[in-house]
Amino acid sequence: MSPNKRKISDVNTELDPASILTGPYRMRAPKPLDLRNCTKKQLLEYFDDSYSLNESLYTILKSEDAFYMRPDRLRLPLLFYYGHTASVYINKLLPTGFIKERVNNHFETIFEAGVNENKWDNVIGKRMGGCVEWPPLKEVVEFRKKVRELIRERISQVELELPIIQDSTLWGLLMVIDHDAVHTETSSVLLSQLPIEHVRLPHGYRRGPVRADNPVWQNTMISVPAQTVSIGKPKGFPSFGWAIDYPQIGMSIPSFEASKYLVSNREFWQFMDAGGYSNKKLWTEEGWKWKEASQFSHPLLWRCDNGCKGTCGDSLESYSHCTPRETGHNDKKVTNRSKAEEKQQFRFRTICEDIEMPWDWPANVNYHEAKAYCNWLGQDYRLLAEAEFHAIRDFPPAEGMDASLDLPWDSELSEKFNVNLNYMTSTPVNFFPANKLGFHDTAGNLWCWMEDHANGLPGYESSYLYDDYAKTYFDTKHTLILGGSWVTNGYQASRFPRNWFRRHFYQHVGFRVAKTIDKTQNPPIRFVRNPYGSLDEVEVPFFVKDLPALWTDPENPQFRDESPECLRQRLLQEYEGSSERLTKLFDALDQLLKKYNVERKRVLDIGCGCGSVTFYIKKYFEEAVGMDNCSNYIGAAISILNKRNLDLVKSIIGADFIEEHQLDEDVRRVHDKIDPKGTVFKLFSWIPNELSNFDVVLHQISDRVVNKKAWFIRLCELINEKGIAVIVSSNGLDEGALQEMVGDRLKCVESQQISCLDTSDAPVHTVITVWQLV
């Protein structure tokens, strides 16, 4: 069933904009805080302004029904994003102690996390098994109101200790405030994809100039000399930052050329007019597959009159933004046009208008389209590297801990860059002045696609409050974007954010072209090594002196578990023969379940691996849930559960390996001893709200994760009043080390140790601790 379980009414009653606001209307960006020198009044204003801006964006929607529509089939209904930002305040701040209670656990669950679409052909857009019943809008408005009141109250009560640093309780508040800014931007893209009849101009709407006073007919390439640049953010800089932005490193780059302007719609039309969308040779293999599946013949926000395939979901599945005009051609594509007529048909969609084509605005495209354009220009043309982007910005060094060195504190920011919603659209690529090097729009207007894969910088450390914010995307499938757009606000409008998206994804992103000058050295591009153990096939049509040298390891060591070899070893440990450790663990679990008087309804196995422990412990319970953060492990567990063999992972580990070790026979023996009814396996990169009210939680993932606290902070919410949590650790996590991470709502009631030998006959000591609610 569709995730949008609400009937769209036949009567499209216009919605009062004030009815969805829980505070004052605001369509201006808030200014971030200097964390060395701010007051509680400023902190409260920063929260209020960010919260108001996020919800004011939705006043663009004409009707209540529009909240339940899916402008993108790869995304959830707009109501989800309206409720999501409020839910994150509760879900992230409860573990910090900043707040003490939930507002609406049901809402904080269904609005917790969106679709993590990892394939361009994933059109399902489901969460929680697709069983979400979206609540009435008025109830979500009330939820947002209660969250606002709670956070305002806590800000007024909290003691403000300066400077606010990453270990401060208030750092979590700054994180969720900036999360508002992130979603203000991403939601604005979804509004641009909604059918025009469902949107309206918001109060104070400010469209940028459609035409340049002096149109850009040539995008000159500017030479940039070899130099050393700084990437990342210095630890201790007095503003909030996401984990992926730290630390600051230096990087030497050879000389290169880059385009003076972001590539404009006029330039991109030339690529289209030359047959760019039909020339397979210009596209990467991944890009061509996306192009063929999507049937795109122009960028997403361009509008023609050919009835092109739409991108909306659910009730809008058959909708086309490219509505044929009154041409007498019976809704069929018009053929035999002159080039002038072909060009004149195009219009452009902003968040709330269809307007004449702004040929001088930068081209808003995805990575695949940007790369095809570079390839069309000729050999050696490419996108910028992250380090090169910082070279063309020519910002003053940020080594000093002075907030005035950053963009939000520049008193002339609105005169230099199209950012912070000064305009609510793009502007011509030459509208704002060039910097000293001659480059325009080195911040704002549109983000800029990089060649680099998304990855942390050396020394990357995730936050326990949002462990999976970035690192799950250091997977070769996501590409960096830098610089911000017209709607980028809050900390996101800083010089430091390192953002990323899937390459088929649309945001407010454009691109520049670049070329390497010094061919004695590699361009400073950082690709990520495939976590499966081999170099991903990245097509590189531009000059590279030493291709393997461009690859770096992902700054997420947990990806090692995704390798075929790790899956093979895990299967052998869990299913081949008799494992001394597993035998002793099973014995210990048997004794604990006899000792503690818990109900035998529901058990959760966190870090279930390939499922052997989940299968074993299921015999005591009506329902067993195994969860893990490794997709290959979960794939093997699901294969064993549903197929009684390893067919689902055979292509990863190899049929010969399965046969050599007789693993299919081993897993069949295990499967035949269990009742599969009531057993499920789930893949999560965090512990979500939907997992709760268990009689027993077996927690055995801490040995495999880097940020251990992130996997313990919700443990107290997973068990019911009479339940127990059993933590299994072989890396020295005893009662004392664990207490700080699990919090003061749990107490340790028992600790024991089991010892065995590993495959190299070295002793392994596993500590088992039992916890109950205080």
Short mmCIF file of all heavy atoms in Angstrom, two decimals, residues 26 28-39 41-47 49-50 53 164 171 173-175 177-178 181 233 237-242 403-404 406-410 413 419-420 488-497:
data_model
loop_
_atom_site.label_atom_id
_atom_site.label_comp_id
_atom_site.label_asym_id
_atom_site.label_seq_id
_atom_site.Cartn_x
_atom_site.Cartn_y
_atom_site.Cartn_z
N ARG A 26 8.19 34.26 9.00
CA ARG A 26 9.55 34.75 8.74
C ARG A 26 10.06 34.13 7.45
O ARG A 26 9.99 32.93 7.26
CB ARG A 26 10.48 34.37 9.89
CG ARG A 26 11.92 34.88 9.69
CD ARG A 26 12.85 34.45 10.80
NE ARG A 26 14.19 34.95 10.58
CZ ARG A 26 14.65 36.13 10.98
NH1 ARG A 26 13.85 36.95 11.65
NH2 ARG A 26 15.88 36.51 10.72
N ARG A 28 13.22 35.36 6.26
CA ARG A 28 14.60 35.85 6.26
C ARG A 28 15.46 34.90 7.07
O ARG A 28 15.00 34.29 8.03
CB ARG A 28 14.67 37.26 6.88
CG ARG A 28 14.01 38.34 6.05
CD ARG A 28 14.89 38.73 4.86
NE ARG A 28 14.35 39.88 4.15
CZ ARG A 28 14.91 40.41 3.08
NH1 ARG A 28 16.01 39.89 2.58
NH2 ARG A 28 14.37 41.46 2.49
N ALA A 29 16.71 34.80 6.71
CA ALA A 29 17.60 33.84 7.37
C ALA A 29 18.06 34.36 8.72
O ALA A 29 18.34 35.55 8.88
CB ALA A 29 18.81 33.56 6.48
N PRO A 30 18.16 33.48 9.71
CA PRO A 30 18.72 33.86 11.01
C PRO A 30 20.23 33.93 10.96
O PRO A 30 20.87 33.27 10.13
CB PRO A 30 18.26 32.74 11.93
CG PRO A 30 18.19 31.55 11.02
CD PRO A 30 17.75 32.07 9.68
N LYS A 31 20.80 34.71 11.84
CA LYS A 31 22.26 34.82 11.91
C LYS A 31 22.77 33.86 12.97
O LYS A 31 22.30 33.87 14.11
CB LYS A 31 22.67 36.25 12.25
CG LYS A 31 24.17 36.48 12.27
CD LYS A 31 24.51 37.94 12.54
CE LYS A 31 26.00 38.18 12.55
NZ LYS A 31 26.32 39.62 12.79
N PRO A 32 23.75 33.01 12.64
CA PRO A 32 24.29 32.08 13.64
C PRO A 32 24.94 32.81 14.81
O PRO A 32 25.18 34.02 14.77
CB PRO A 32 25.33 31.28 12.84
CG PRO A 32 24.98 31.49 11.42
CD PRO A 32 24.37 32.85 11.33
N LEU A 33 25.24 32.03 15.85
CA LEU A 33 25.78 32.60 17.07
C LEU A 33 27.31 32.52 17.10
O LEU A 33 27.89 31.53 16.65
CB LEU A 33 25.22 31.85 18.28
CG LEU A 33 23.70 31.85 18.45
CD1 LEU A 33 23.32 31.00 19.65
CD2 LEU A 33 23.17 33.26 18.60
N ASP A 34 27.93 33.54 17.67
CA ASP A 34 29.34 33.48 18.04
C ASP A 34 29.37 32.77 19.39
O ASP A 34 28.91 33.31 20.40
CB ASP A 34 29.91 34.90 18.15
CG ASP A 34 31.40 34.90 18.51
OD1 ASP A 34 31.89 33.89 19.05
OD2 ASP A 34 32.06 35.93 18.26
N LEU A 35 29.88 31.56 19.43
CA LEU A 35 29.76 30.71 20.60
C LEU A 35 30.67 31.12 21.75
O LEU A 35 30.60 30.54 22.83
CB LEU A 35 30.02 29.25 20.21
CG LEU A 35 29.10 28.70 19.11
CD1 LEU A 35 29.34 27.21 18.93
CD2 LEU A 35 27.64 28.98 19.43
N ARG A 36 31.52 32.10 21.52
CA ARG A 36 32.31 32.63 22.63
C ARG A 36 31.60 33.78 23.31
O ARG A 36 31.91 34.13 24.45
CB ARG A 36 33.67 33.15 22.12
CG ARG A 36 34.59 32.12 21.51
CD ARG A 36 35.79 32.80 20.90
NE ARG A 36 35.37 33.90 20.01
CZ ARG A 36 36.21 34.78 19.46
NH1 ARG A 36 37.50 34.70 19.73
NH2 ARG A 36 35.76 35.72 18.68
N ASN A 37 30.67 34.39 22.58
CA ASN A 37 30.12 35.66 23.06
C ASN A 37 28.66 35.78 22.62
O ASN A 37 28.34 36.49 21.68
CB ASN A 37 30.94 36.83 22.52
CG ASN A 37 30.47 38.16 23.04
OD1 ASN A 37 29.90 38.24 24.12
ND2 ASN A 37 30.68 39.20 22.25
N CYS A 38 27.76 35.04 23.28
CA CYS A 38 26.34 35.13 22.95
C CYS A 38 25.54 35.11 24.25
O CYS A 38 26.04 34.68 25.30
CB CYS A 38 25.91 34.01 22.03
SG CYS A 38 26.13 32.34 22.68
N THR A 39 24.32 35.55 24.18
CA THR A 39 23.45 35.61 25.34
C THR A 39 22.30 34.63 25.18
O THR A 39 22.04 34.13 24.08
CB THR A 39 22.88 37.02 25.51
OG1 THR A 39 22.02 37.31 24.39
CG2 THR A 39 23.99 38.06 25.58
N LYS A 41 19.26 35.43 25.33
CA LYS A 41 18.30 36.11 24.47
C LYS A 41 18.62 35.85 23.00
O LYS A 41 17.73 35.56 22.20
CB LYS A 41 18.31 37.61 24.76
CG LYS A 41 17.33 38.43 23.92
CD LYS A 41 17.36 39.89 24.35
CE LYS A 41 16.33 40.71 23.54
NZ LYS A 41 16.68 40.82 22.13
N GLN A 42 19.90 35.91 22.65
CA GLN A 42 20.29 35.64 21.27
C GLN A 42 20.06 34.17 20.91
O GLN A 42 19.64 33.86 19.79
CB GLN A 42 21.77 36.00 21.08
CG GLN A 42 22.05 37.49 21.11
CD GLN A 42 23.54 37.79 21.08
OE1 GLN A 42 24.34 37.06 21.68
NE2 GLN A 42 23.91 38.86 20.40
N LEU A 43 20.31 33.27 21.85
CA LEU A 43 20.09 31.86 21.61
C LEU A 43 18.60 31.59 21.37
O LEU A 43 18.23 30.84 20.45
CB LEU A 43 20.59 31.04 22.81
CG LEU A 43 20.41 29.51 22.74
CD1 LEU A 43 21.12 28.92 21.53
CD2 LEU A 43 20.91 28.86 24.02
N LEU A 44 17.75 32.20 22.18
CA LEU A 44 16.31 32.04 22.01
C LEU A 44 15.85 32.60 20.67
O LEU A 44 15.05 31.97 19.96
CB LEU A 44 15.57 32.72 23.16
CG LEU A 44 14.04 32.62 23.13
CD1 LEU A 44 13.60 31.17 23.18
CD2 LEU A 44 13.43 33.41 24.29
N GLU A 45 16.37 33.76 20.30
CA GLU A 45 15.99 34.36 19.01
C GLU A 45 16.47 33.50 17.84
O GLU A 45 15.76 33.35 16.84
CB GLU A 45 16.59 35.76 18.90
CG GLU A 45 15.93 36.78 19.83
CD GLU A 45 16.63 38.13 19.78
OE1 GLU A 45 17.74 38.20 19.20
OE2 GLU A 45 16.08 39.10 20.33
N TYR A 46 17.65 32.93 17.97
CA TYR A 46 18.19 32.09 16.91
C TYR A 46 17.30 30.85 16.71
O TYR A 46 16.97 30.48 15.58
CB TYR A 46 19.62 31.68 17.24
CG TYR A 46 20.34 30.89 16.18
CD1 TYR A 46 20.21 31.20 14.83
CD2 TYR A 46 21.17 29.83 16.52
CE1 TYR A 46 20.88 30.48 13.85
CE2 TYR A 46 21.85 29.10 15.56
CZ TYR A 46 21.69 29.42 14.22
OH TYR A 46 22.36 28.70 13.27
N PHE A 47 16.91 30.23 17.82
CA PHE A 47 15.99 29.09 17.73
C PHE A 47 14.67 29.51 17.11
O PHE A 47 14.18 28.88 16.16
CB PHE A 47 15.75 28.49 19.11
CG PHE A 47 14.50 27.65 19.17
CD1 PHE A 47 14.44 26.42 18.52
CD2 PHE A 47 13.37 28.11 19.85
CE1 PHE A 47 13.27 25.66 18.54
CE2 PHE A 47 12.20 27.35 19.87
CZ PHE A 47 12.16 26.13 19.22
N ASP A 49 13.81 32.06 15.27
CA ASP A 49 13.90 32.48 13.87
C ASP A 49 14.08 31.28 12.93
O ASP A 49 13.47 31.23 11.85
CB ASP A 49 15.06 33.47 13.68
CG ASP A 49 14.81 34.81 14.35
OD1 ASP A 49 13.65 35.06 14.74
OD2 ASP A 49 15.76 35.60 14.49
N SER A 50 14.90 30.32 13.34
CA SER A 50 15.12 29.12 12.51
C SER A 50 13.86 28.28 12.41
O SER A 50 13.49 27.79 11.34
CB SER A 50 16.28 28.29 13.07
OG SER A 50 17.48 29.01 13.08
N LEU A 53 11.29 30.16 10.21
CA LEU A 53 11.64 30.12 8.80
C LEU A 53 11.28 28.77 8.19
O LEU A 53 10.70 28.71 7.10
CB LEU A 53 13.13 30.41 8.60
CG LEU A 53 13.67 30.22 7.18
CD1 LEU A 53 12.96 31.14 6.20
CD2 LEU A 53 15.18 30.48 7.15
N ILE A 164 30.40 27.83 24.16
CA ILE A 164 29.70 26.58 23.86
C ILE A 164 30.63 25.75 22.97
O ILE A 164 31.02 26.19 21.89
CB ILE A 164 28.37 26.84 23.15
CG1 ILE A 164 27.46 27.73 24.01
CG2 ILE A 164 27.67 25.52 22.83
CD1 ILE A 164 26.19 28.16 23.31
N TRP A 171 25.41 22.20 22.56
CA TRP A 171 25.85 21.85 21.21
C TRP A 171 24.77 21.05 20.47
O TRP A 171 24.54 21.24 19.28
CB TRP A 171 27.15 21.06 21.26
CG TRP A 171 27.80 20.87 19.93
CD1 TRP A 171 27.68 19.80 19.09
CD2 TRP A 171 28.69 21.78 19.26
NE1 TRP A 171 28.44 19.99 17.95
CE2 TRP A 171 29.07 21.20 18.03
CE3 TRP A 171 29.21 23.04 19.59
CZ2 TRP A 171 29.93 21.82 17.13
CZ3 TRP A 171 30.06 23.66 18.70
CH2 TRP A 171 30.42 23.05 17.49
N LEU A 173 21.58 21.37 20.90
CA LEU A 173 20.55 22.32 20.48
C LEU A 173 20.96 23.03 19.21
O LEU A 173 20.15 23.19 18.28
CB LEU A 173 20.29 23.33 21.59
CG LEU A 173 19.30 24.46 21.26
CD1 LEU A 173 17.93 23.89 20.94
CD2 LEU A 173 19.21 25.46 22.40
N LEU A 174 22.20 23.44 19.12
CA LEU A 174 22.69 24.10 17.90
C LEU A 174 22.62 23.15 16.71
O LEU A 174 22.34 23.56 15.58
CB LEU A 174 24.12 24.59 18.10
CG LEU A 174 24.31 25.66 19.18
CD1 LEU A 174 25.79 25.91 19.42
CD2 LEU A 174 23.62 26.96 18.79
N MET A 175 22.85 21.87 16.96
CA MET A 175 22.79 20.88 15.89
C MET A 175 21.39 20.81 15.30
O MET A 175 21.21 20.83 14.07
CB MET A 175 23.21 19.51 16.42
CG MET A 175 23.09 18.38 15.42
SD MET A 175 23.51 16.77 16.14
CE MET A 175 25.26 16.97 16.42
N ILE A 177 18.99 23.02 15.54
CA ILE A 177 18.63 24.29 14.91
C ILE A 177 19.17 24.33 13.48
O ILE A 177 18.46 24.74 12.55
CB ILE A 177 19.17 25.48 15.73
CG1 ILE A 177 18.40 25.61 17.05
CG2 ILE A 177 19.07 26.78 14.94
CD1 ILE A 177 18.94 26.69 17.98
N ASP A 178 20.40 23.89 13.29
CA ASP A 178 20.94 23.89 11.92
C ASP A 178 20.27 22.81 11.06
O ASP A 178 20.19 22.96 9.85
CB ASP A 178 22.45 23.68 11.94
CG ASP A 178 23.08 24.10 10.62
OD1 ASP A 178 23.02 25.29 10.29
OD2 ASP A 178 23.59 23.22 9.90
N ALA A 181 17.74 24.42 9.15
CA ALA A 181 18.25 25.10 7.95
C ALA A 181 18.45 24.12 6.80
O ALA A 181 18.14 24.44 5.65
CB ALA A 181 19.56 25.82 8.28
N LYS A 233 37.28 22.65 8.82
CA LYS A 233 37.06 23.68 9.84
C LYS A 233 37.97 23.45 11.04
O LYS A 233 38.08 22.32 11.53
CB LYS A 233 35.59 23.62 10.29
CG LYS A 233 35.20 24.71 11.27
CD LYS A 233 33.70 24.68 11.53
CE LYS A 233 33.30 25.85 12.41
NZ LYS A 233 31.84 25.89 12.63
N PHE A 237 36.78 26.62 16.42
CA PHE A 237 36.22 27.82 15.79
C PHE A 237 34.86 28.10 16.43
O PHE A 237 34.05 27.19 16.59
CB PHE A 237 36.08 27.62 14.29
CG PHE A 237 35.83 28.90 13.53
CD1 PHE A 237 36.90 29.66 13.07
CD2 PHE A 237 34.54 29.36 13.31
CE1 PHE A 237 36.68 30.85 12.38
CE2 PHE A 237 34.31 30.54 12.64
CZ PHE A 237 35.38 31.30 12.17
N PRO A 238 34.57 29.36 16.79
CA PRO A 238 33.41 29.66 17.64
C PRO A 238 32.06 29.69 16.91
O PRO A 238 31.31 30.66 17.00
CB PRO A 238 33.76 31.04 18.20
CG PRO A 238 34.57 31.68 17.13
CD PRO A 238 35.40 30.57 16.55
N SER A 239 31.77 28.64 16.18
CA SER A 239 30.44 28.46 15.60
C SER A 239 30.16 26.98 15.53
O SER A 239 31.08 26.16 15.56
CB SER A 239 30.34 29.10 14.21
OG SER A 239 31.17 28.44 13.28
N PHE A 240 28.88 26.63 15.43
CA PHE A 240 28.52 25.23 15.30
C PHE A 240 29.09 24.65 14.01
O PHE A 240 29.25 25.36 13.01
CB PHE A 240 26.99 25.06 15.30
CG PHE A 240 26.56 23.68 14.91
CD1 PHE A 240 26.66 22.63 15.80
CD2 PHE A 240 26.10 23.42 13.62
CE1 PHE A 240 26.30 21.35 15.43
CE2 PHE A 240 25.73 22.14 13.24
CZ PHE A 240 25.84 21.10 14.16
N GLY A 241 29.35 23.35 13.99
CA GLY A 241 29.76 22.67 12.77
C GLY A 241 29.38 21.21 12.85
O GLY A 241 29.32 20.62 13.94
N TRP A 242 29.10 20.60 11.70
CA TRP A 242 28.81 19.17 11.64
C TRP A 242 30.12 18.39 11.63
O TRP A 242 31.18 18.91 11.22
CB TRP A 242 28.00 18.84 10.39
CG TRP A 242 26.62 19.42 10.42
CD1 TRP A 242 26.22 20.61 9.89
CD2 TRP A 242 25.47 18.85 11.03
NE1 TRP A 242 24.89 20.81 10.12
CE2 TRP A 242 24.39 19.74 10.83
CE3 TRP A 242 25.22 17.67 11.73
CZ2 TRP A 242 23.10 19.50 11.29
CZ3 TRP A 242 23.94 17.41 12.19
CH2 TRP A 242 22.89 18.31 11.97
N ALA A 403 35.08 34.69 14.79
CA ALA A 403 33.88 34.45 13.99
C ALA A 403 33.77 35.43 12.83
O ALA A 403 33.16 35.10 11.81
CB ALA A 403 32.64 34.56 14.87
N SER A 404 34.35 36.60 12.94
CA SER A 404 34.26 37.59 11.86
C SER A 404 34.94 37.11 10.59
O SER A 404 34.74 37.69 9.52
CB SER A 404 34.87 38.93 12.31
OG SER A 404 36.27 38.80 12.52
N ASP A 406 34.23 34.44 9.15
CA ASP A 406 33.28 33.61 8.44
C ASP A 406 32.18 34.45 7.80
O ASP A 406 31.88 35.57 8.24
CB ASP A 406 32.66 32.58 9.40
CG ASP A 406 32.08 31.39 8.67
OD1 ASP A 406 32.20 31.33 7.44
OD2 ASP A 406 31.49 30.52 9.35
N LEU A 407 31.54 33.90 6.78
CA LEU A 407 30.59 34.66 5.95
C LEU A 407 29.40 35.22 6.71
O LEU A 407 29.00 36.37 6.47
CB LEU A 407 30.10 33.76 4.81
CG LEU A 407 31.16 33.33 3.78
CD1 LEU A 407 30.53 32.38 2.76
CD2 LEU A 407 31.74 34.55 3.09
N PRO A 408 28.75 34.47 7.61
CA PRO A 408 27.55 35.03 8.25
C PRO A 408 27.79 36.32 9.02
O PRO A 408 26.85 37.06 9.30
CB PRO A 408 27.08 33.90 9.18
CG PRO A 408 27.61 32.66 8.55
CD PRO A 408 28.94 33.07 7.98
N TRP A 409 29.02 36.60 9.38
CA TRP A 409 29.33 37.81 10.14
C TRP A 409 29.85 38.94 9.25
O TRP A 409 30.25 39.99 9.74
CB TRP A 409 30.34 37.49 11.24
CG TRP A 409 29.71 36.71 12.35
CD1 TRP A 409 29.10 37.21 13.46
CD2 TRP A 409 29.61 35.29 12.46
NE1 TRP A 409 28.63 36.20 14.25
CE2 TRP A 409 28.92 35.00 13.66
CE3 TRP A 409 30.01 34.23 11.66
CZ2 TRP A 409 28.64 33.70 14.08
CZ3 TRP A 409 29.73 32.93 12.06
CH2 TRP A 409 29.05 32.67 13.25
N ASP A 410 29.83 38.73 7.94
CA ASP A 410 30.26 39.76 7.00
C ASP A 410 29.11 40.76 6.80
O ASP A 410 28.04 40.40 6.30
CB ASP A 410 30.63 39.11 5.66
CG ASP A 410 31.23 40.10 4.66
OD1 ASP A 410 31.05 41.32 4.84
OD2 ASP A 410 31.86 39.64 3.70
N LEU A 413 27.66 40.88 3.29
CA LEU A 413 27.38 39.59 2.67
C LEU A 413 26.30 39.69 1.60
O LEU A 413 26.44 39.13 0.51
CB LEU A 413 26.96 38.59 3.74
CG LEU A 413 26.64 37.16 3.26
CD1 LEU A 413 27.89 36.50 2.68
CD2 LEU A 413 26.08 36.31 4.41
N VAL A 419 22.65 34.54 -1.09
CA VAL A 419 22.55 33.55 -0.04
C VAL A 419 21.59 34.08 1.01
O VAL A 419 21.18 35.24 0.97
CB VAL A 419 23.96 33.26 0.55
CG1 VAL A 419 24.47 34.43 1.36
CG2 VAL A 419 24.02 31.96 1.32
N ASN A 420 21.16 33.22 1.94
CA ASN A 420 20.32 33.64 3.06
C ASN A 420 18.94 34.15 2.65
O ASN A 420 18.33 34.94 3.36
CB ASN A 420 21.03 34.73 3.89
CG ASN A 420 21.99 34.16 4.91
OD1 ASN A 420 21.85 33.01 5.32
ND2 ASN A 420 22.96 34.95 5.31
N THR A 488 20.31 28.77 1.16
CA THR A 488 21.17 28.29 2.24
C THR A 488 21.20 29.34 3.35
O THR A 488 21.41 30.52 3.11
CB THR A 488 22.58 28.03 1.72
OG1 THR A 488 22.52 27.11 0.63
CG2 THR A 488 23.46 27.45 2.80
N ASN A 489 21.00 28.89 4.58
CA ASN A 489 20.88 29.84 5.70
C ASN A 489 21.45 29.24 6.97
O ASN A 489 21.79 28.07 7.03
CB ASN A 489 19.41 30.23 5.90
CG ASN A 489 18.56 29.08 6.37
OD1 ASN A 489 18.33 28.90 7.56
ND2 ASN A 489 18.08 28.26 5.43
N GLY A 490 21.53 30.06 8.01
CA GLY A 490 22.10 29.63 9.28
C GLY A 490 23.56 29.27 9.12
O GLY A 490 24.29 29.88 8.32
N TYR A 491 24.02 28.26 9.87
CA TYR A 491 25.41 27.84 9.73
C TYR A 491 25.70 27.32 8.34
O TYR A 491 26.83 27.40 7.84
CB TYR A 491 25.75 26.76 10.77
CG TYR A 491 27.05 26.05 10.46
CD1 TYR A 491 28.27 26.71 10.62
CD2 TYR A 491 27.07 24.75 9.97
CE1 TYR A 491 29.47 26.08 10.31
CE2 TYR A 491 28.25 24.12 9.65
CZ TYR A 491 29.45 24.78 9.82
OH TYR A 491 30.62 24.16 9.50
N GLN A 492 24.68 26.77 7.65
CA GLN A 492 24.90 26.25 6.32
C GLN A 492 25.44 27.30 5.36
O GLN A 492 26.07 26.98 4.35
CB GLN A 492 23.59 25.67 5.77
CG GLN A 492 23.12 24.41 6.48
CD GLN A 492 24.07 23.25 6.28
OE1 GLN A 492 24.36 22.85 5.16
NE2 GLN A 492 24.59 22.71 7.38
N ALA A 493 25.19 28.57 5.67
CA ALA A 493 25.70 29.66 4.82
C ALA A 493 27.13 30.04 5.19
O ALA A 493 27.67 31.01 4.66
CB ALA A 493 24.80 30.88 4.93
N SER A 494 27.75 29.27 6.07
CA SER A 494 29.14 29.50 6.45
C SER A 494 30.08 29.08 5.32
O SER A 494 29.67 28.49 4.32
CB SER A 494 29.42 28.68 7.73
OG SER A 494 30.79 28.50 7.95
N ARG A 495 31.35 29.33 5.50
CA ARG A 495 32.36 28.92 4.52
C ARG A 495 32.74 27.45 4.65
O ARG A 495 33.40 26.90 3.78
CB ARG A 495 33.61 29.78 4.69
CG ARG A 495 34.30 29.58 6.03
CD ARG A 495 35.38 30.59 6.34
NE ARG A 495 36.55 30.42 5.52
CZ ARG A 495 37.62 31.22 5.56
NH1 ARG A 495 37.60 32.28 6.37
NH2 ARG A 495 38.66 31.00 4.80
N PHE A 496 32.33 26.81 5.74
CA PHE A 496 32.86 25.50 6.07
C PHE A 496 32.04 24.28 5.66
O PHE A 496 32.62 23.19 5.50
CB PHE A 496 33.10 25.41 7.59
CG PHE A 496 34.07 26.42 8.12
CD1 PHE A 496 33.65 27.41 8.99
CD2 PHE A 496 35.40 26.38 7.75
CE1 PHE A 496 34.54 28.35 9.49
CE2 PHE A 496 36.31 27.30 8.24
CZ PHE A 496 35.88 28.30 9.12
N PRO A 497 30.72 24.34 5.51
CA PRO A 497 29.95 23.10 5.30
C PRO A 497 30.40 22.30 4.09
O PRO A 497 30.63 22.83 3.01
CB PRO A 497 28.52 23.61 5.13
CG PRO A 497 28.47 24.84 5.95
CD PRO A 497 29.82 25.48 5.73
#
